[in-house]
Amino acid sequence: MPNSPSDAPRRVTVQRKGPLLVEGPVEVELEDGTLVSSDRFRVALCTCRRSRRYPWCDTSHRDRTRESREP
């Protein structure tokens, strides 16, 4: 998926307690240099790293709740 000046910008939607939603198709480069791609019209990218399908979100972030810091 080469980028060119004629390509329309991709929309990325940030959710406070969830994944990044990216209009597809997308190609993601992982830390080790591996490229993974999806041709879906929208993908959810995991930001919590709990997903078994990382970098794709599998909603694992919903299972864990943060402990309250209040006494």
Side-chain angles (χ1 to χ4, degrees), residues 17 50 60-68:
K17 294 183 179 182
R50 293 183 195 120
S60 293
H61 60 275
R62 294 181 185 168
D63 294 338
R64 187 171 174 191
T65 58
R66 288 188 171 184
E67 294 179 21
S68 176

Side-chain angles (χ1 to χ4, degrees), residues 19-55:
L20 290 174
L21 300 178
V22 182
E23 290 184 4
V26 297
E27 189 173 80
V28 178
E29 183 176 349
L30 302 177
E31 292 175 278
D32 65 0
T34 304
L35 290 176
V36 293
S37 60
S38 173
D39 60 356
R40 296 180 59 117
F41 70 95
R42 182 178 295 153
V43 295
L45 295 176
C46 177
T47 58
C48 70
R49 292 189 172 252
R50 293 183 195 120
S51 175
R52 291 186 195 122
R53 298 182 55 219
Y54 187 82

